[in-house]
Amino acid sequence: MVAESDNRGGKLMVTAIVLLNAARGRVNEIASVLAEMEGVSEVYSVGGHYDLVVVIRVHANEELADLVTEHMQSLEGIEATETLIAFRAYSRHDLESMFSIGL
Amino acid sequence: MVAESDNRGGKLMVTAIVLLNAARGRVNEIASVLAEMEGVSEVYSVGGHYDLVVVIRVHANEELADLVTEHMQSLEGIEATETLIAFRAYSRHDLESMFSIGL
Amino acid sequence: MVAESDNRGGKLMVTAIVLLNAARGRVNEIASVLAEMEGVSEVYSVGGHYDLVVVIRVHANEELADLVTEHMQSLEGIEATETLIAFRAYSRHDLESMFSIGL
Amino acid sequence: MVAESDNRGGKLMVTAIVLLNAARGRVNEIASVLAEMEGVSEVYSVGGHYDLVVVIRVHANEELADLVTEHMQSLEGIEATETLIAFRAYSRHDLESMFSIGL
Amino acid sequence: MVAESDNRGGKLMVTAIVLLNAARGRVNEIASVLAEMEGVSEVYSVGGHYDLVVVIRVHANEELADLVTEHMQSLEGIEATETLIAFRAYSRHDLESMFSIGL
Amino acid sequence: MVAESDNRGGKLMVTAIVLLNAARGRVNEIASVLAEMEGVSEVYSVGGHYDLVVVIRVHANEELADLVTEHMQSLEGIEATETLIAFRAYSRHDLESMFSIGL
Amino acid sequence: MVAESDNRGGKLMVTAIVLLNAARGRVNEIASVLAEMEGVSEVYSVGGHYDLVVVIRVHANEELADLVTEHMQSLEGIEATETLIAFRAYSRHDLESMFSIGL
Amino acid sequence: MVAESDNRGGKLMVTAIVLLNAARGRVNEIASVLAEMEGVSEVYSVGGHYDLVVVIRVHANEELADLVTEHMQSLEGIEATETLIAFRAYSRHDLESMFSIGL
Amino acid sequence: MVAESDNRGGKLMVTAIVLLNAARGRVNEIASVLAEMEGVSEVYSVGGHYDLVVVIRVHANEELADLVTEHMQSLEGIEATETLIAFRAYSRHDLESMFSIGL
Amino acid sequence: MVAESDNRGGKLMVTAIVLLNAARGRVNEIASVLAEMEGVSEVYSVGGHYDLVVVIRVHANEELADLVTEHMQSLEGIEATETLIAFRAYSRHDLESMFSIGL
């Protein structure tokens, strides 16, 4: 059964996927810095049109706002970002409990 | 400490993020079908340029090949896909153990 | 003083701006239908790259999810949508009170 | 009943939506400055392809011209703008009266 | 001396330039039909990225709205339009008087 | 009756529409300079994808070549140009006589 | 010495380069048909973004207008065209005499 | 009868069309320099998306390689190039003999 | 030592890389058909912007022309192709001998 | 019979095709440097939208990660890269044995 967890603000998890392009040759360095940021769940260096994909899992919209516009976008070496904010999550995993401890 | 898990083929996890556009008005229906597929970890309906983001976590490259080219791309209602295959994962979570049970 | 109202999920307002392209010659008809939808604050037919701009003001993220993915995107005659979900609102107006009566 | 207020020059309201990209890490700072400008009704920092969306409500076309080409576009830190001038507004709200006091 | 005529709504001229792509082989036919429309000043078939450029000169914004969204966009054979609404006109010619007789 | 004036080189009028992007905040300044150039009929600051639209009306192709490649494109502050050279003009106005006095 | 032949309307040669995309698998067939058209000097099937490049050499602008908008664009199987009209030609060859016999 | 001259390497002619964008205001200067290069048959300054179109006619692929990658692309002032290498040429003219004397 | 084999027409190898998009769900089927074609060295189904990458190694330009424009492009299910014809090959492998037996 | 070699991590070959744009005039120089890198099988300078195409053949995903993100992307003079990681290879050649000696 797919747990269709609506991204209810407040209690449950607000998720966003950020597509990033980074300065030539600094992809891994920037990935490590991003992965340390509060609210960043995972960072992947990828093949294709983008250099990095960041998965954000936070509790409320304004945490998302701070993380993306205050911390991530001002990180030196980041050249372009496109933030895809999740309406709904569909998963056989219970993502909330898996990720909520020590989010 | 950020666990920099290289996507070693074979034993460990191979991850890919697929960006999808779906037929008008069928986003949620298609998200549910995708989330049931073996190897699909999470599906998010999102705002922005794309309609859906699919996170795939499998054990080997050819599972990824089957899932994307045989199952996902042939799903009726999917209009465009862009698969971003991960080189490396960076996370404070131990993603392998979290997701490896019953992948 | 600019009221910087973070889009706090739950109590306050969640805002999104949807950029739309509509079938040739049906722009005004579709604008009227959209403007009647619960949660749609304003619809503008515009010059430029897009045909319509829809301003959505709702109370919680999942209302936004329903409105965009269930109702708007499935409206016949809509050809492409790009949903820009607001992180934060900045305005000299007290948008919450202005729009919260009978949202 | 949807109030279809044609954007009559002169007496009633002329509306435009400006899509903006801002210099890395200066999104919130620039949003605050824009929101103070005469004729700017609301500014939203957003996820997706653009960084900011500005809603302009003025009384006549040349106020719009001054605001966009003289004040907004010359603001340091703004990298790209696309101005979508409204032909018509459709809304259950009486936007003119709501916004005309102290425009 | 360049007459900088602000596009004052009401009395003076509201100008817009519409960039159009038309169905293969019907460029000239569609140009003739457009040129007959009230408010259309000139139509040019052109080389380059677009097929046709339409110059509109009307008295008020809502005439522009009717012409573009009601009449032009619904003309069969028109495939894509981008309307560039003029903020200001700069010309050594007195465009208002030249074009206002029998607009 | 629409006067379909083929752009015959030599005697009659050669028309081109140039779409321009200008340096941030210098749109009006550059519009004024362009409008003074021999062969430039009108310049419009516009909303949408481009900043300026220039209408050129000259007597022969090489006047067009000089104006665009020698004078306009080398004007400091102009960032991108796309010249749409007219094949044919369609208009209820007698554009040739209107614009030929003192072209 | 490079012969800089301005594309003087009337007596000398008016040149245009048309970039074309054709229906799958019909590139060679369409190239042959185009090459037979009056005013078409050469047609090349090419690698890269486009399928065909057509070089047109005619005596006056309106011949160019007829050829492109009446004959070429209406040819069944042609999907997209972009016409680059030449301002000036630069060549060590005397293109006019080479191509003017039996244009 | 259209002479369908396959671009046979070695004896016959290898043709390529290069689409170029040049630094603002230097289009004519760069066109003249290109036209002097061995293997460059014609250079056109054009309206539309590109600034210059270069027609190359040489005897063998590696002459093409030298000309484009060694000489043309390193010419100061050239900002972007797209080389369309011809598979086949179709023409009523006998291009080989016309252009082979003193190629 | 890197063997810089200029793509000499005639005796040695002419190489091209074709980027392909295929109809939804038919990627593997089309890859198998392409791989059987004379002159096709390898076909890869890939992640990213394209679906398939085809490596062509033939002896002369016109074999390349036949293969791409006659056989590949007319294959049902292929939606878009971009052919990148190689100027030069650089490799520590002796590609010519490796691939020339039974090309 | 086409050898459909799934890109099994570990034992067999992991292949990727990297599309590259290089600084003006440095295409050949950069191609030579890339071709010397461990894991780079072939480099082609090409006509079309990109400047270089690099074929990578390595034994495991993390070799691919190192080569692309550590070595290739940080090479001075490389302006944009798009890495297409292969799901599957289809070829009449036995690519594994051909390329595995001294990979």
Side-chain angles (χ1 to χ4, degrees):
Chain A
M1 209 293 295
V2 173
E4 184 185 319
S5 60
D6 296 339
N7 264 297
R8 251 164 287 285
K11 270 190 328 15
L12 286 184
M13 204 150 57
V14 175
T15 308
I17 293 98
V18 184
L19 309 174
L20 269 160
N21 285 99
R24 288 291 111 237
R26 299 186 54 195
V27 166
N28 295 329
E29 171 214 329
I30 288 171
S32 303
V33 173
L34 288 169
E36 298 268 336
M37 288 187 177
E38 196 58 40
V40 169
S41 170
E42 308 130 68
V43 182
Y44 300 98
S45 60
V46 291
H49 220 63
Y50 304 96
D51 296 319
L52 291 171
V53 174
V54 181
V55 180
I56 293 175
R57 307 180 201 269
V58 288
H59 282 301
N61 294 351
E62 85 277 14
E63 279 180 66
L64 181 59
D66 287 337
L67 178 53
V68 173
T69 62
E70 302 288 347
H71 303 291
M72 281 180 64
Q73 286 187 345
S74 57
L75 195 61
E76 202 271 318
I78 289 185
E79 296 187 341
T81 67
E82 179 157 351
T83 308
L84 309 175
I85 302 174
F87 289 125
R88 285 212 184 96
Y90 301 77
S91 177
R92 282 168 298 127
H93 302 287
D94 178 353
L95 299 170
E96 269 81 38
S97 16
M98 281 171 72
F99 284 101
S100 61
I101 346 121
L103 245 201
Chain B
M1 209 293 296
V2 174
E4 183 183 323
S5 57
D6 297 338
N7 262 299
R8 250 162 286 287
K11 277 191 319 15
L12 286 182
M13 204 148 58
V14 175
T15 309
I17 294 97
V18 185
L19 310 173
L20 271 161
N21 284 99
R24 285 292 110 237
R26 299 186 54 194
V27 166
N28 296 329
E29 170 213 330
I30 288 170
S32 303
V33 172
L34 288 169
E36 298 268 337
M37 290 186 177
E38 194 59 40
V40 169
S41 171
E42 308 130 65
V43 182
Y44 300 98
S45 61
V46 291
H49 223 61
Y50 304 95
D51 295 320
L52 291 171
V53 175
V54 181
V55 180
I56 293 175
R57 306 180 201 270
V58 288
H59 282 302
N61 293 348
E62 86 277 14
E63 280 180 64
L64 181 59
D66 288 337
L67 178 52
V68 173
T69 61
E70 302 288 346
H71 304 291
M72 282 180 63
Q73 287 187 344
S74 57
L75 194 62
E76 201 271 317
I78 289 184
E79 297 185 342
T81 67
E82 177 156 353
T83 308
L84 309 175
I85 302 175
F87 289 124
R88 284 210 185 95
Y90 300 77
S91 177
R92 285 168 295 127
H93 302 287
D94 179 354
L95 298 170
E96 270 81 39
S97 16
M98 281 171 71
F99 283 102
S100 59
I101 347 122
L103 245 199
Chain C
M1 209 294 295
V2 173
E4 183 183 319
S5 59
D6 296 338
N7 262 298
R8 251 164 285 288
K11 277 190 318 11
L12 286 184
M13 202 148 59
V14 175
T15 308
I17 293 97
V18 185
L19 309 175
L20 270 160
N21 285 97
R24 286 291 110 240
R26 299 185 52 194
V27 167
N28 296 329
E29 169 215 329
I30 287 170
S32 303
V33 172
L34 287 169
E36 298 268 337
M37 289 186 176
E38 195 59 40
V40 169
S41 170
E42 308 129 69
V43 183
Y44 300 97
S45 60
V46 291
H49 221 62
Y50 304 95
D51 295 320
L52 291 171
V53 175
V54 182
V55 181
I56 293 175
R57 306 181 201 270
V58 288
H59 282 301
N61 294 350
E62 84 279 15
E63 280 180 65
L64 182 59
D66 288 337
L67 177 52
V68 174
T69 61
E70 303 288 347
H71 303 291
M72 281 179 64
Q73 286 187 345
S74 58
L75 194 61
E76 200 271 317
I78 289 184
E79 296 186 341
T81 67
E82 178 155 353
T83 308
L84 309 176
I85 303 175
F87 289 125
R88 285 208 185 97
Y90 300 77
S91 176
R92 284 168 296 125
H93 302 287
D94 178 354
L95 299 170
E96 271 80 40
S97 15
M98 281 171 71
F99 283 102
S100 59
I101 346 124
L103 246 200
Chain D
M1 210 292 296
V2 173
E4 183 182 322
S5 57
D6 296 339
N7 264 298
R8 252 163 287 287
K11 273 192 320 18
L12 285 183
M13 204 151 57
V14 175
T15 309
I17 292 98
V18 185
L19 310 174
L20 270 160
N21 285 98
R24 287 290 110 237
R26 299 186 54 196
V27 166
N28 296 328
E29 170 214 329
I30 287 170
S32 303
V33 173
L34 288 169
E36 299 268 336
M37 290 187 177
E38 196 58 41
V40 170
S41 169
E42 307 130 69
V43 182
Y44 300 98
S45 60
V46 291
H49 221 62
Y50 304 96
D51 296 320
L52 291 170
V53 175
V54 181
V55 180
I56 293 175
R57 307 178 201 271
V58 288
H59 282 302
N61 294 350
E62 86 278 14
E63 278 179 67
L64 182 59
D66 287 337
L67 178 53
V68 174
T69 62
E70 302 288 347
H71 304 292
M72 282 179 64
Q73 287 187 343
S74 57
L75 195 61
E76 202 270 317
I78 289 186
E79 296 187 342
T81 67
E82 178 156 354
T83 308
L84 309 175
I85 303 175
F87 289 125
R88 286 211 184 95
Y90 300 77
S91 177
R92 284 168 296 126
H93 302 287
D94 177 354
L95 299 170
E96 270 80 39
S97 16
M98 280 170 72
F99 283 101
S100 60
I101 349 122
L103 243 200
Chain E
M1 209 294 294
V2 173
E4 184 185 319
S5 59
D6 297 339
N7 263 298
R8 249 162 288 287
K11 275 189 325 7
L12 287 184
M13 202 149 61
V14 175
T15 309
I17 293 98
V18 185
L19 309 174
L20 269 160
N21 285 99
R24 288 290 111 239
R26 300 185 53 194
V27 167
N28 296 329
E29 169 215 327
I30 288 170
S32 302
V33 173
L34 287 168
E36 299 268 337
M37 290 187 176
E38 194 61 39
V40 169
S41 168
E42 308 130 68
V43 182
Y44 300 98
S45 61
V46 291
H49 222 61
Y50 305 95
D51 295 319
L52 291 171
V53 175
V54 181
V55 180
I56 293 175
R57 306 181 202 269
V58 288
H59 282 302
N61 294 350
E62 83 278 14
E63 280 179 64
L64 182 59
D66 288 337
L67 178 53
V68 173
T69 62
E70 303 289 346
H71 304 291
M72 281 179 65
Q73 287 188 344
S74 57
L75 195 61
E76 201 271 318
I78 288 184
E79 296 186 341
T81 67
E82 179 156 352
T83 308
L84 310 176
I85 303 175
F87 289 125
R88 286 212 184 95
Y90 300 77
S91 176
R92 284 167 297 128
H93 303 287
D94 178 353
L95 298 169
E96 269 80 38
S97 14
M98 282 171 71
F99 283 101
S100 61
I101 346 122
L103 246 201
Chain F
M1 211 293 295
V2 174
E4 185 182 320
S5 59
D6 296 339
N7 265 298
R8 252 163 287 287
K11 277 189 316 22
L12 284 182
M13 205 151 55
V14 175
T15 308
I17 292 97
V18 185
L19 309 174
L20 269 161
N21 285 99
R24 286 292 111 235
R26 299 186 53 193
V27 166
N28 296 330
E29 170 213 327
I30 288 170
S32 302
V33 172
L34 288 168
E36 299 268 338
M37 289 187 178
E38 195 59 42
V40 169
S41 170
E42 309 129 67
V43 182
Y44 300 99
S45 60
V46 291
H49 222 61
Y50 304 95
D51 295 320
L52 290 171
V53 175
V54 181
V55 181
I56 294 174
R57 306 181 201 271
V58 288
H59 282 302
N61 294 350
E62 85 278 13
E63 278 180 65
L64 181 60
D66 287 337
L67 178 52
V68 173
T69 61
E70 301 289 346
H71 304 290
M72 281 180 65
Q73 285 188 345
S74 56
L75 194 60
E76 202 271 317
I78 288 185
E79 296 187 341
T81 66
E82 178 156 353
T83 308
L84 309 175
I85 302 175
F87 290 126
R88 285 210 184 95
Y90 301 77
S91 177
R92 286 167 297 128
H93 303 287
D94 177 356
L95 299 169
E96 266 78 359
S97 16
M98 280 171 73
F99 282 101
S100 59
I101 350 121
L103 244 197
Chain G
M1 214 294 293
V2 173
E4 186 183 319
S5 58
D6 296 342
N7 264 299
R8 250 162 286 290
K11 275 191 322 14
L12 287 183
M13 204 152 57
V14 175
T15 309
I17 293 98
V18 185
L19 309 174
L20 270 160
N21 285 98
R24 288 288 113 238
R26 299 186 54 194
V27 167
N28 296 329
E29 169 214 329
I30 288 170
S32 303
V33 173
L34 287 169
E36 299 268 338
M37 290 188 177
E38 194 60 40
V40 170
S41 170
E42 308 130 68
V43 182
Y44 301 98
S45 61
V46 292
H49 223 62
Y50 304 95
D51 295 319
L52 291 171
V53 176
V54 181
V55 181
I56 294 175
R57 307 182 201 269
V58 289
H59 282 301
N61 294 350
E62 85 277 16
E63 279 180 65
L64 181 59
D66 288 336
L67 177 53
V68 173
T69 62
E70 303 290 345
H71 304 292
M72 282 179 64
Q73 286 187 345
S74 57
L75 194 61
E76 201 271 318
I78 288 185
E79 296 186 341
T81 67
E82 178 155 352
T83 308
L84 310 175
I85 303 175
F87 289 126
R88 285 211 184 95
Y90 300 77
S91 177
R92 284 168 297 126
H93 303 287
D94 178 353
L95 299 169
E96 269 82 38
S97 17
M98 282 170 71
F99 283 102
S100 61
I101 348 123
L103 247 197
Chain H
M1 210 293 295
V2 173
E4 185 182 320
S5 59
D6 295 340
N7 265 297
R8 250 162 287 287
K11 276 190 321 11
L12 287 183
M13 206 150 56
V14 175
T15 308
I17 292 98
V18 185
L19 310 174
L20 270 160
N21 285 99
R24 285 293 110 236
R26 298 186 54 193
V27 167
N28 296 328
E29 169 213 329
I30 288 170
S32 303
V33 172
L34 287 169
E36 298 269 337
M37 290 186 177
E38 195 58 40
V40 169
S41 170
E42 309 130 67
V43 182
Y44 300 99
S45 61
V46 292
H49 222 62
Y50 304 96
D51 295 320
L52 291 172
V53 175
V54 182
V55 181
I56 293 174
R57 305 181 202 270
V58 289
H59 281 302
N61 293 350
E62 85 277 14
E63 279 181 65
L64 182 58
D66 288 337
L67 179 51
V68 173
T69 62
E70 301 289 346
H71 304 291
M72 282 179 64
Q73 286 188 345
S74 57
L75 193 61
E76 203 270 316
I78 289 185
E79 296 186 341
T81 66
E82 179 155 352
T83 308
L84 309 176
I85 302 175
F87 290 126
R88 285 211 186 95
Y90 302 76
S91 178
R92 284 168 296 127
H93 302 287
D94 178 354
L95 299 169
E96 268 82 41
S97 15
M98 279 171 74
F99 282 101
S100 60
I101 349 124
L103 246 195
Chain I
M1 211 293 294
V2 174
E4 185 183 320
S5 57
D6 296 339
N7 263 299
R8 250 161 286 289
K11 277 194 314 16
L12 286 182
M13 204 150 59
V14 175
T15 309
I17 293 97
V18 185
L19 310 174
L20 269 160
N21 285 99
R24 284 293 111 236
R26 298 186 54 194
V27 167
N28 296 329
E29 169 214 329
I30 288 170
S32 303
V33 172
L34 288 168
E36 300 268 338
M37 291 187 176
E38 195 58 40
V40 169
S41 169
E42 308 131 65
V43 182
Y44 300 98
S45 60
V46 292
H49 222 61
Y50 304 95
D51 295 320
L52 291 172
V53 175
V54 182
V55 181
I56 293 175
R57 307 180 201 270
V58 289
H59 282 301
N61 294 349
E62 84 278 15
E63 279 179 64
L64 181 59
D66 288 337
L67 178 53
V68 174
T69 61
E70 302 289 346
H71 303 292
M72 281 179 65
Q73 286 188 345
S74 57
L75 194 61
E76 202 271 318
I78 288 184
E79 297 186 340
T81 67
E82 179 157 351
T83 309
L84 310 174
I85 303 175
F87 289 125
R88 285 212 185 92
Y90 301 76
S91 176
R92 285 168 296 127
H93 303 285
D94 179 353
L95 300 170
E96 265 80 350
S97 16
M98 281 170 72
F99 283 101
S100 60
I101 347 121
L103 246 196
Chain J
M1 213 295 294
V2 173
E4 184 183 320
S5 60
D6 296 340
N7 266 298
R8 251 163 285 286
K11 270 186 333 9
L12 287 183
M13 205 151 57
V14 176
T15 308
I17 293 98
V18 185
L19 310 174
L20 269 161
N21 285 98
R24 286 290 112 238
R26 298 186 53 194
V27 166
N28 296 328
E29 170 214 329
I30 288 170
S32 303
V33 172
L34 287 169
E36 299 268 336
M37 289 187 177
E38 195 59 40
V40 169
S41 170
E42 308 130 67
V43 182
Y44 301 97
S45 61
V46 292
H49 221 62
Y50 304 96
D51 296 319
L52 291 171
V53 175
V54 181
V55 180
I56 294 174
R57 306 181 202 269
V58 288
H59 283 301
N61 294 350
E62 85 278 14
E63 280 180 65
L64 181 59
D66 287 337
L67 178 53
V68 173
T69 62
E70 302 288 347
H71 304 290
M72 282 179 63
Q73 287 186 344
S74 56
L75 194 61
E76 202 270 317
I78 289 185
E79 296 187 340
T81 67
E82 178 157 352
T83 308
L84 309 175
I85 303 175
F87 290 124
R88 285 212 183 93
Y90 301 77
S91 178
R92 284 168 296 128
H93 303 287
D94 178 353
L95 298 170
E96 269 82 41
S97 17
M98 281 171 72
F99 283 102
S100 60
I101 348 120
L103 243 199

